[in-house]
Amino acid sequence: PTPTTLVGALVDGKPNFITIAHVGIMTLDTVSLGMNKIHYTNAGIKANKTFSVCLPSAELMVQTDYCGIMTGKKTDKAAIFDVFYGDLETAPMIRECPVCMECRLERIVDFAEHDVFVGDVVQTHVQPEVLSEGTIDIARVKPLLFDMAGKGYWSLGPRAGNAWGEGKKLKRKLQQ
C-alpha cells in the first residue's frame, strides 16, 4: 500500500486535482510523482512549474476516488473542495486535507508512458488538529492508503513500533 494523494495544478488558469498514489520522498524536502502522460494535470505542472501534494484523510475517500475516475478536461473537480493557495500562486491546495505541500518543479524524468515530476517542497500546510507537540501525528491525519494489487483503499491501524528502535532489541539479543 502507498499513500493516496491529491495532486493539484492550475491547468489553463483553473485549479485541477488528480488522485495519485505513485509518490515518493527523494530527500527531506523533495518529492516525486509518477503520472501517466495522458493525464490532464501534467500540462498544468509543465506550464506553471508548480504543483501541490495534498494528503486526504480516510474520511475523504469518496472525493479522492472521484478525482481519480473523472478527467479535468470535462469536470471541475476543484468545485467539490475549498481550494486555497500559499506562496506559490499556481499550486492549488485543498483545505479539507490535513496536510498539503506546495512544490516547485525541479525536473521531469521522461519515461515512455509516464512523467515523473520531481519537486522541491516550498511550504507545508498542516491543520492544527493533526499536530501533536508541534509535529504531524499520523494517527490524527488518518491517511488514505491505496493497494494497487487489490484495487482497494485502506486506512492505518495502531502504531506497530518505533523506527530505529525495534531493531535494537534484536541487536542486543544477538550481541549477548
Side-chain angles (χ1 to χ4, degrees):
T2 58
T4 305
T5 67
L6 289 161
V7 172
L10 280 186
V11 184
D12 295 328
K14 296 178 183 172
N16 185 63
F17 296 97
I18 182 171
T19 305
I20 296 292
H22 296 148
V23 296
I25 299 169
M26 305 299 290
T27 67
L28 292 177
D29 57 359
T30 307
V31 296
S32 66
L33 312 168
M35 295 171 54
N36 193 296
K37 290 179 183 278
I38 64 169
H39 291 304
Y40 180 70
T41 307
N42 295 33
I45 294 173
K46 290 175 181 179
N48 297 297
K49 304 206 179 328
T50 60
F51 60 90
S52 68
V53 179
C54 302
L55 300 176
S57 65
E59 286 86 13
L60 290 172
M61 178 181 64
V62 171
Q63 297 90 326
T64 301
D65 194 58
Y66 176 82
C67 288
I69 63 174
M70 302 302 291
T71 176
K73 291 176 189 171
K74 299 177 183 176
T75 307
D76 180 6
K77 295 186 272 184
I80 65 172
F81 299 115
D82 181 5
V83 176
F84 75 101
Y85 297 85
D87 293 341
L88 301 176
E89 297 174 358
T90 55
M93 292 173 280
I94 300 169
R95 201 167 305 280
E96 293 88 343
C97 289
V99 179
C100 294
M101 296 169 280
E102 48 185 319
C103 303
R104 183 175 292 112
L105 182 64
E106 181 188 294
R107 72 179 68 143
I108 302 170
V109 182
D110 185 23
F111 285 89
E113 295 181 13
H114 287 77
D115 291 320
V116 175
F117 297 106
V118 178
D120 294 319
V121 178
V122 172
Q123 185 82 252
T124 301
H125 303 266
V126 182
Q127 293 177 351
E129 57 269 19
V130 301
L131 293 174
S132 179
E133 298 179 17
T135 303
I136 296 172
D137 183 335
I138 198 73
R140 291 181 182 178
V141 171
K142 300 176 188 167
L144 183 63
L145 305 176
F146 175 69
D147 170 26
M148 179 64 122
K151 296 182 179 83
Y153 293 112
W154 294 82
S155 58
L156 288 178
R159 183 181 177 114
N162 297 310
W164 302 289
E166 300 303 321
K168 290 179 182 177
K169 296 172 187 173
L170 179 58
K171 180 181 175 185
R172 283 192 294 272
K173 182 178 177 181
L174 293 175
Q175 289 175 340
Q176 293 178 352

